[in-house]
Amino acid sequence: MTAVQTSPEQNGDASDAAGQEQFPAGAQVLVRDEVWLVRNAVPTRDDGARVEVVGVSDFVRDQEAVFFTRLDTIELIDPRDTRLIADDSPNYRRSRLFLEAVLRRTALPQSERRLALADSFLLDSLPYQRRPAELALSGANLRPRLLIADVVGLGKTLEIGLTLAELIRRGRGERILVVTPQHVLEQFQHELWTRFAIPLVRLDSVGIERIQREIPAGRNPFTFFKRVIVSIDTLKNTDQYRHHLEQIRWDAVVIDESHNLINRGSLRNQLAQTLAPRTDALILASATPHNGDAKSFAELIGLLDPTAIRDPENYRAEDIEHLFIRRTKISTEVREQMKGQWADRGPSEAVHCPATPAEEKIFAELAAVWLPHDGGPSVSSVPLFPYTLLKSFLSSHAALKATVTARVKTLEKKDDPQATAAELSALRRLTELTADLAEADSAKFRALVEQLKGIGVGPASDTRVVVFSERVQTLEWLGTVLPAALGFRGRAAKESLRVMHGGLSDEQQMQVVEEFGLAGAPVRILLTGDVASEGVNLHRQCHQLVHYDVPWSLIRIEQRNGRIDRYGQAHPPQFRALILTSEAEGAKDDTLVSERLLEREDQAHRSLGTAEAVTGLYRAEAEEKSLIQDLLRGRTVDESLDGRRSGADTDTEAMDDFLADFFGSVGEEPEAEAGGDAEESSPEALGSDTSTRTGTGPVLPRLFDSTAHFLDEALREVYPDARDRLELDRDEQSGLLSFCPPPDLLHRLKALPVDYLREQRLRERLLVTFNRRLAQHSLQRAREAGSTSSWPEISLLTDLHPVVEWLTDKVLVRLGRQEAPMITAGVAEPTYLVQGVYSNTLGRPTVVKWMGVTRSGAVDDDMVSLLRRSGVGPTMANKLRYRDPAPLVAAIPDVLEAAEAFMEQHRDAWDRPLRESIERHKLRLGDWEQPTLAGERTKQRLTDLADDLLTTGQSPMLRVLAVLLPDPDASFAAPVSPSAAPTAL
C-alpha cells in the first residue's frame, strides 16, 4: 500500500519505476544503513529516480547527498511501522515544530494555482507585478512558460523573482539557470537575493576560474551548483559548456533580453534551442520582444510552446495570450497601482550648440563632397557611408577621426586604387580639417560642461549624471578632458568619472554599474555607450541623463531614457540632448534628425507608453537603417516614420494590422483576477503573518501564525543554549537577529557571492530580520554615502531564506526514524494525523491532504483546523500523561486503510480540475498536424508530457505524523466527522 523499497535488481524500465518511486519532500528514507530526509526527487532517463537528501542519523547528520534508485537501495519507510513516542518538551513544542516543518517542506500540488508567497518579500505590493506568476501557474500551459514583455522600467526582474519563488515552493525550482547579458549579472543576482532570498551562484569570468579550481576535472559544473546565473556570451561561445547543458535538465530557465535569441542559426538562438526542451519552466524577458517579422517572433514563442502557433506567418494575439504578457507605464493597472512610486519624467530638452568655426568647415565639406544638398552624386562608392561620416562627426571630432582612418585603411587595401582615388582624396581633406581639433573647438563639449555645472555636477556636489554616446572614441575622449573642465583635480579627477562600453570585461562592467549606484562612491559621471541601454539600473542615485549624441532610433532613445526612468525612481527624470547646429549652406546638422526624433519619442511615450511601435520595425538597427535610406531618397524624418505605418505595401499592411492587434490586447488587465486581492500584512510589524492567502481558503496550511514565531521556537528547541553556542543576540525592539552561523549553515551559504560573504563577514556573523522596514532600510543604507558595497548587511528572512530552510530541516530530524509524537489535546478519541499524497510520474504532487483519522474510520481532511479546535498551540500545557502506546500502534494499519479509502473516494473530485486542463491540452495536440519527422517527435514528446502530469494509478503515499490523545482534564473535545466536506489543497 505505502511501503516502497527499490533496488537495482528490482528496477525495470525507468518510466515504469518513475510511477512507483514516490519520495515526497520531508519523507525519511533508509539508504546505506543511514537515515536521510528527502528534499526532492525526480525521475531520470537512465538511473531511475534521482533523490536529493540530507542526513538525519548521527553519522551523516546534515550532510547533503544524491542517490539514484538504480544504483542504491532506497527504502521509503513503511508508515505501518511507525513508532509512537512521548514528547516531553514544553507546550509540546517539539511536536508542533515537527508538524509545521512537514507542512513547510511539502511541495504545493500542481492543482494549486494561487500565489502562496507574494506578500512575504522585500518589495511593494503591486498586483500588476504578480500577474506574470499567476499566468505562469494558471494551467493555461502544460508547463510554466511565459514571455514577460513589459516595457522598460516596470520591474521585470521582480516579476521573474516572484515566479521563481512560487515554483520553488511547489518543488519545481530546485535547479534554476538564469541567463543574462554579462553587464547585469550582479544586478540580477543582487535583486533575487535581497528581495526574495534566492541565492544564485554567479559564473562570470572570475566565477568560472574559481569553480574550475574547486570541482573535479571534467565534472559538469551545472550538477555541482543547483542554482546558477551566467552570461549568455559565456554559454554561447563555449562548446564545453554547451556540451554540459545537453546533459542536464532544469526545473526553470530564465533568459533575459530574449529578443537577442530571434536570429535563427545564431549562437544565441542555438543556445536557446538547446535549453528550451531541457527545462520544465521557461521564462523569457524582453522589453522589445518583436523585430517586426511575424515568422521570427513565432520562433521565439515556439521556444515556450511549439504547438501554440500553427502558421508562423499568420497568427493572432489570442493564439498566444497564455504565453505572453505586456504592459506599459500608462496601462491602467500600472498607472493606478504606482501612485507616486515612480516619478513622472520631464520633457526631453534639446540643447542647441552652434557650431564653432572649425566645425562649420567640416559641415561645409560634408555638404559639398559627401552629402550634396542638391541631390548630386556623393564622392563615396558606398551609399550609406556618408551618413556614417555625418553621425561620427555629430558625435565628436574624435569619432570622426576614427571613422576616416578606418575607411582609408579599407580603401588602401583595394586592388583598384584609381577607382577610389577621389574618395581617398576627400578623406584626406577631412583628416586635415580634424587634425588639430581640441575641446575648445567642440560646441557640444562646451555645452556639456555648462549643462553639467548647471545641474550641480562638480567637486562639492553629490549630483550624478549619466552621459550616453554611441561612439567609444567619444567616450574615451570625454573621459580624458571632462573632469578637469568641471573642476575635479588630482585623485578626485580620476575617481569622479567612469567610462563603460562593450570593450570592458564582464567584471569591469559590473564594477562600474555598482559604483555608480553607491551613494558613498566618489563617481559622479558615468560615460557609457549603448551597452548600458538594456537592462541596467542607473536610477538609484541618478535622475539626470544627457545624450551627447542622439541615436537615430526611437527604440534606442527610449532604452537609454529607461535607465533612469524606471520603477523606484524617486525624482522626476530629466533628459537633455546636445543638438549641434550649423549655418553652413546645405549642412545636415542635428536639427535635421536628432531633434525631431527626440520630439517623436517624447510624444509616443506620453500617448502610447512606448515608442517601439511607431515605425513598425521593432529593432533599433532596422529603424536607423530605414531612416538613412529614406533620407537618401529625400524624405524627412516625419515622412520616414509615418511612411512605415501607412502601409506602403500589402505585406506591411498585414504586419501593421497584426501588431496593432497583438500589442493592443495581450496583457490587458483581466476584469476579475483569479483568487481576488491578497490579504495585506503589516510590513513593519515584527513577526507579522507572511500572508498565506490570496483568495478564499489557505494556500499554505500553517500551525504557527508566522514564520517569525516558527523560527523563534525552532531556535529554542534546536539550540536551547543559542546565546552561548551561536552567540545569538536579539534586539526585541527592531527584530534584528545576530548570530554566528554553524558549519552546516555555512555550507548552505556557499551559493552567495564571494565578495558579499567577504564584505559583510557573513561567515563570522549573520544579521537577519523579519522586519521588512528594517531590511529595506539596510538595503537603502547599502547605497548611501559611506557604503562601499551595494550588498546590505541585514537580510530579510523569507520562507525561502537559507536560515529558515536550515532550521526547518533541523526540526525535522529531531525525531528519529519512523517516530511520531503523541500529543494530549482536546479530542474525544485518539485521532491520528495523516499526510496523504497523490503524485504524477514526474514525482510531483497532484493532490496533498492533511487528515485527522480516528480508529473508527472517521476522517477530517482539514488537519490544521482540527489542531486549532483541539487546542494545540503555544499555550497548551504538557502534563506528561501518556498511556501504553501498544494499542495505539496496533490500530495504525486500520487508520491508514481508512485514510486511503477516504482519498480514493474523493480522488476523482480533487483531481478533476487538473485532469480537465491536461485533457484540453491533449486535444489541441491532437489537432496539431506536423508534416516533418521532427515535428511529429515534438508532438509525441508533448503528448507524453501531458500524460506524465496526470495523477498515477498508484495508491497514495501515506504517512503518520502524530497522534492526538484525549485530555481527561479538557473542557472541550474537537469532533472528527466522517462526513466532513473534503477540501482540496
Side-chain angles (χ1 to χ4, degrees), residues 264 306 928-942:
R264 189 171 185 84
W928 186 51
E929 299 296 335
Q930 280 298 304
T932 65
L933 178 60
E936 284 300 320
R937 287 174 175 169
T938 298
K939 179 177 179 178
Q940 186 60 52
R941 176 171 57 84
L942 293 175

Side-chain angles (χ1 to χ4, degrees), residues 581-600:
T581 64
S582 172
E583 295 183 356
E585 184 179 0
K588 292 178 169 55
D589 61 13
D590 273 323
T591 61
L592 177 71
V593 176
S594 298
E595 187 170 18
R596 189 61 191 132
L597 288 176
L598 283 175
E599 294 170 356
R600 292 296 297 267

Side-chain angles (χ1 to χ4, degrees), residues 99 102-116 169-170 692-693 696-702 834-839 844-851 861-865 902-903 906-907 909-911 913-914 951 961 981-985:
L99 293 171
V102 174
L103 289 170
R104 288 174 173 271
R105 272 304 190 190
T106 300
L108 292 176
Q110 282 192 141
S111 54
E112 180 53 77
R113 307 300 189 188
R114 296 167 298 171
L115 302 191
R169 185 58 185 86
R170 285 159 172 77
T692 62
R693 299 166 181 261
T696 58
V699 178
L700 296 179
R702 292 283 173 83
V834 180
Q835 177 195 38
V837 178
Y838 284 115
S839 298
R844 302 187 190 121
T846 55
V847 175
V848 178
K849 302 308 299 177
W850 307 94
M851 298 171 283
D861 76 336
D862 191 345
M863 183 184 78
V864 173
S865 294
F902 178 82
M903 292 195 69
H906 299 289
R907 169 178 174 167
W910 292 332
D911 205 35
L914 176 63
T951 302
L961 304 176
T983 58
L985 172 62

Side-chain angles (χ1 to χ4, degrees), residues 430-476:
L430 286 176
T431 301
E432 294 172 0
L433 291 174
T434 60
D436 299 324
L437 294 186
E439 56 266 30
D441 300 300
S442 172
K444 278 191 174 182
F445 180 78
R446 184 166 58 235
L448 176 65
V449 173
E450 291 175 355
Q451 290 295 315
L452 296 189
K453 287 182 176 179
I455 63 177
V457 178
S461 171
D462 293 331
T463 302
R464 301 192 181 197
V465 64
V466 54
V467 179
F468 271 98
S469 172
E470 289 187 309
R471 308 290 170 150
V472 173
Q473 297 82 10
T474 301
L475 295 171
E476 292 178 339

Side-chain angles (χ1 to χ4, degrees), residues 551-570:
W552 286 11
S553 159
L554 297 177
I555 291 174
R556 190 71 76 199
I557 295 172
E558 180 177 77
Q559 287 175 332
R560 285 184 178 185
N561 291 347
R563 296 314 98 212
I564 65 168
D565 181 22
R566 55 197 308 106
Y567 169 65
Q569 175 60 268

Side-chain angles (χ1 to χ4, degrees), residues 600-643:
R600 292 296 297 267
E601 187 276 338
D602 192 63
Q603 292 170 4
H605 175 82
R606 298 183 189 285
S607 60
L608 304 174
T610 177
E612 70 169 20
V614 170
T615 64
L617 293 172
Y618 299 92
R619 280 292 175 269
E621 298 80 4
E623 281 189 334
E624 180 174 337
K625 183 177 180 180
S626 174
L627 176 58
I628 292 175
Q629 290 173 337
D630 283 343
L631 291 174
L632 286 170
R633 298 186 186 105
R635 297 178 180 174
T636 66
V637 170
D638 286 321
E639 289 171 341
S640 177
L641 298 182
D642 297 335

Side-chain angles (χ1 to χ4, degrees), residues 159-234:
E159 294 168 351
I160 291 169
L162 278 170
T163 305
L164 291 178
E166 292 292 336
L167 291 174
I168 291 170
R169 185 58 185 86
R170 285 159 172 77
R172 304 177 73 171
E174 285 298 305
R175 306 196 60 81
I176 295 174
L177 174 67
V178 176
V179 184
T180 75
Q182 60 184 13
H183 53 277
V184 297
L185 280 175
E186 180 164 324
Q187 175 182 293
F188 204 108
Q189 181 190 35
H190 184 279
E191 288 287 278
L192 258 65
W193 170 252
T194 59
R195 302 290 185 182
F196 304 96
I198 300 176
L200 300 173
V201 175
R202 188 173 78 225
L203 296 185
D204 52 24
S205 56
V206 174
I208 289 174
E209 292 178 6
R210 177 173 59 84
I211 67 168
Q212 288 174 340
R213 295 192 301 267
E214 291 183 0
I215 68 176
R219 177 79 177 270
N220 189 334
F222 301 113
T223 61
F224 194 78
F225 299 109
K226 294 197 304 180
R227 295 172 183 168
V228 172
I229 183 168
V230 63
S231 86
I232 191 168
D233 292 311
T234 296

